[in-house]
Amino acid sequence: MTADFPLRRTTRPVPDAERETILSDPGFGRYFTDHMATAVWSRDTGWHDHEVRPLEAFSLHPAAAVLHYAQEIFEGLKAYRHADGSVWLFRPEANARRFQRSARRLALPELDEQSFLASVEALVSADEPWVPAHGDEKSLYIRPYMFAAESFLGVRPAATIQYAVIAGPAGPYFSSGVTGVTLWVTANYTRAATGGTGDAKCGGNYAGSLAAQIEAQEHGCEQVLYLDSSDHSRLEESGTMNICLVTSDGQLITPSLGTILEGVTRDSVLELATEHGLTPVERSITVQELRDSCADGTVTEVFAAGTAAVLTPIVGFRSEELETTVGDGAPGKVTVAIRDHILDLQYGRIPDNKGWLRKVC
Ligand code: COI
């Protein structure tokens, strides 16, 4: 049964002038809106206490299971303001379904799709003034998540789970924006193995990526490109984004699902590929193939796809024994065209003939 998330409005919202200053340069993940949507699940009673309430700190017992065993999952999606002032979500049903798949993998309770959507819509409606104005590719980033709140140190699925949705205005995820990033191909770290949690959106995957990210930064790269864990020969994903290659004979190739995250932007790119004269292909790609095909011009463009980063051109790869430039080292035309296509859909600048948008207010 779909839950209602009734609003208990804050009496101390961020003053209008302060909010407008934040909206003029929000960055990513630095500021949060006035409210949060929450619900609690207990093994005995199921989901209860749904509401949208003032944003405030959780009170957690030091033995809360999430602090010890990382039983936690999250989602990321955005709300976009259209030219007429209305506010829309992009494929939120896909996030709701992935949240359920992640919950199953982490032995967390599933939240039904309609309640997930209701919680996101109730929060966005309550904090509508926080959705940046139409026009300069800002949006409201929405973060639904749930975690093991029971205080208990035995290793078993927790009996009390906290669900929450928070949100904050967002500009570009990378400060280098669409000028392109260089990926560090790490030989020291892998992200996921068959049977592991690589295809679930759980905090632990991201905690495990931080040392690799430091390694990338030490080598002058913004992000990591992970290889498979069995023989370190095949491309996986970049940790916060899926990766796609464009070839001179019109293919758009991306690694097959399995141990990587099933990205909503990845899926949208695959669906839109034919409209850009490209054949979508999901298959494994070796580092050797990447190196050779960048060198001989078979791969003309590479980009990364994710909710936060949208489409980010990848202009080069670096590793202990590899230094490869993609194309001429500048963002490719196809990348920019697909990026614009997705943004045009999200901001309502072209008709939504796929039915991907959902109006909030
Ligand atoms: C997203 O694109 O929503 C992500 O989950 C990336 C995030 C970890 C910044």
Side-chain angles (χ1 to χ4, degrees):
M1 198 182 66
T2 308
D4 263 353
F5 284 77
L7 172 61
R8 179 158 57 87
R9 202 171 271 288
T10 181
T11 52
R12 295 175 43 213
V14 172
D16 290 354
E18 193 181 325
R19 189 184 63 241
E20 289 310 315
T21 306
I22 292 171
L23 289 177
S24 67
D25 182 20
F28 180 87
R30 286 161 44 206
Y31 303 102
F32 301 95
T33 64
D34 294 312
H35 298 92
M36 61 202 281
T38 53
V40 176
W41 179 90
S42 322
R43 194 191 291 138
D44 299 338
T45 50
W47 288 108
H48 53 91
D49 288 350
H50 308 78
E51 63 174 336
V52 171
R53 58 177 162 123
L55 183 77
E56 64 181 347
F58 289 116
S59 164
L60 281 184
H61 190 281
V66 67
L67 302 177
H68 303 270
Y69 309 128
Q71 194 191 5
E72 187 269 356
I73 57 169
F74 71 96
E75 270 303 320
L77 68 162
K78 286 175 173 170
Y80 305 86
R81 194 178 292 282
H82 287 192
D84 66 358
S86 57
V87 176
W88 300 72
L89 302 169
F90 182 72
R91 307 189 67 186
E93 304 82 1
N95 296 93
R97 290 193 290 269
R98 187 172 63 186
F99 200 54
Q100 292 181 326
R101 291 196 297 278
S102 298
R104 286 198 287 276
R105 179 63 185 85
L106 272 288
L108 285 160
E110 286 179 44
L111 182 67
D112 68 275
E113 186 174 325
Q114 292 311 318
S115 298
F116 177 97
L117 296 173
S119 65
V120 169
E121 290 178 0
L123 179 65
V124 175
S125 299
D127 283 332
E128 182 272 335
W130 283 92
V131 183
H134 181 80
D136 57 2
E137 288 183 16
K138 292 179 192 144
S139 55
L140 185 73
Y141 184 79
I142 304 158
R143 172 56 63 88
Y145 58 108
M146 69 165 89
F147 60 86
E150 183 187 1
S151 41
F152 175 68
L153 291 185
V155 179
R156 59 145 169 80
T160 309
I161 303 298
Q162 178 72 57
Y163 170 67
V165 190
I166 56 171
Y173 183 68
F174 290 110
S175 48
S176 52
V178 288
T179 56
V181 302
T182 300
L183 297 184
W184 173 251
V185 187
T186 178
N188 294 316
Y189 301 100
T190 56
R191 182 184 166 276
T194 305
T197 57
D199 58 344
K201 203 160 175 66
C202 60
N205 288 343
Y206 296 78
S209 77
L210 299 177
Q213 196 174 313
I214 292 170
E215 186 183 87
Q217 280 156 359
E218 284 168 355
H219 290 86
C221 298
E222 286 90 339
Q223 269 290 345
V224 179
L225 174 62
Y226 290 98
L227 304 179
D228 69 284
S229 60
S230 52
D231 63 5
H232 293 217
S233 68
R234 282 161 285 124
L235 315 191
E236 292 245 309
E237 59 153 270
S238 98
T240 53
M241 301 170 294
N242 296 113
I243 184 151
C244 301
L245 277 53
V246 178
T247 63
S248 54
D249 65 351
Q251 295 183 55
L252 188 145
I253 312 174
T254 192
S256 313
L257 297 176
T259 51
I260 62 170
L261 193 75
E262 191 171 349
V264 178
T265 312
R266 172 190 180 277
D267 186 68
S268 307
V269 166
L270 287 171
E271 281 222 30
L272 296 177
T274 50
E275 295 183 38
H276 292 264
L278 299 167
T279 306
V281 179
E282 295 175 78
R283 67 161 170 83
S284 68
I285 306 158
T286 64
V287 192
Q288 186 66 44
E289 177 185 357
L290 176 71
R291 181 204 308 242
D292 295 347
S293 53
C294 284
D296 69 15
T298 316
V299 163
T300 51
E301 300 182 28
V302 180
F303 62 84
T307 298
V310 197
L311 250 62
T312 299
I314 306 300
V315 294
F317 296 91
R318 211 171 282 161
S319 73
E320 299 290 359
E321 68 269 342
L322 170 81
E323 176 87 54
T324 300
T325 303
V326 181
D328 60 3
K333 281 204 203 72
V334 176
T335 303
V336 173
I338 301 178
R339 183 177 194 280
D340 287 349
H341 191 161
I342 291 185
L343 289 170
D344 284 346
L345 278 168
Q346 292 172 332
Y347 286 98
R349 296 189 287 249
I350 56 174
D352 173 26
N353 48 23
K354 299 217 173 269
W356 281 348
L357 294 184
R358 187 176 168 105
K359 187 171 182 183
V360 179
C361 52

